[in-house]
Amino acid sequence: MRTPLDPRAGAALLGAAVLGWASVEAVHALAARRGFPGGRRAVAPDVVVVLGCPPRPDGTVSGMQRWRTEIAVRTPGRPVLVFSGYARPGAPSEAAVMAAHARDVLGVDPARLRTEETATTTWENVVRTLGDLEGARHVALASSPVHALRARRYLARLRPDLAARLVPAADYRPGERWGLKAATAGYDLARSVGLRTVSSHRMSSSEEHGIEGS
């Protein structure tokens, strides 16, 4: 026989769920507004770089890839879409899978699509598409808002001149893909904690040996 749920416990669980939902939404809403050195302008980009992520094990488009591609496609104007992401042995590249989804499912003109198929990290996504951004007046980076913010910061470190051209992709919609939002927010939080832990360890080790941390 099941024990009835205490109404107070149920209310607490509901409150925690609502707080968790609101927190994830707030993190992404804030991220979508940050990382624009030239100011956050409502201008259509000429080029959108779509940051890669893995397809499903069978090589078909994953939920995260769908979301990132949809963000790029719904961004205003008719920008060139540059999909970046490498290929695992014997499988299509991340870039090719997303570009095919844009073309075959979302109806994007193939003339607007480019692929960069060597990048294995977000940093490399940015580094290896710099040439695609050179001639553009306005550029955008498409991914979940939290992930795109990290990529914008990378671009600002690499090429402040190009970062000054950044404008928003259509990445934040309240309530959209909440599960994926929670996953990306959790990943970036864990990543930040991990990097700080490594940095602190290096600093402590450097102090012990009487040298400066890198």
Side-chain angles (χ1 to χ4, degrees), residues 43-50 67-81 112 138-143 167-173:
V43 179
D46 304 300
V47 177
V48 177
V49 172
V50 190
W67 188 26
R68 294 183 186 186
T69 304
E70 289 167 4
I71 287 168
V73 171
R74 73 193 185 202
T75 294
R78 289 180 56 81
V80 172
L81 307 182
R112 293 175 53 203
H138 306 292
V139 301
L141 305 178
S143 185
V167 297
D171 55 4
Y172 180 70
R173 288 183 176 178

Side-chain angles (χ1 to χ4, degrees), residues 45-144:
D46 304 300
V47 177
V48 177
V49 172
V50 190
L51 307 176
C53 59
R56 291 176 174 172
D58 63 0
T60 58
V61 65
S62 66
M64 186 67 79
Q65 287 184 318
R66 286 195 189 94
W67 188 26
R68 294 183 186 186
T69 304
E70 289 167 4
I71 287 168
V73 171
R74 73 193 185 202
T75 294
R78 289 180 56 81
V80 172
L81 307 182
V82 183
F83 296 87
S84 177
Y86 80 119
R88 291 172 172 79
S93 70
E94 297 172 358
V97 172
M98 291 190 293
H101 184 68
R103 181 188 66 239
D104 300 337
V105 178
L106 302 181
V108 178
D109 182 352
R112 293 175 53 203
L113 307 177
R114 299 179 190 169
T115 57
E116 184 292 306
E117 300 180 280
T118 64
T120 62
T121 64
T122 303
W123 178 267
E124 290 182 358
N125 288 149
V126 176
V127 169
R128 299 184 183 186
T129 57
L130 290 175
D132 295 287
L133 305 182
E134 291 285 0
R137 293 171 302 168
H138 306 292
V139 301
L141 305 178
S143 185
S144 66

Side-chain angles (χ1 to χ4, degrees), residues 168-205:
D171 55 4
Y172 180 70
R173 288 183 176 178
E176 178 187 48
R177 308 269 187 173
W178 189 87
L180 294 179
K181 284 179 180 173
T184 55
Y187 173 82
D188 265 64
L189 175 61
R191 184 179 179 280
S192 296
V193 171
L195 289 175
R196 286 172 185 167
T197 300
V198 170
S199 178
S200 296
H201 175 75
R202 287 177 176 172
M203 182 63 74
S204 297
S205 178

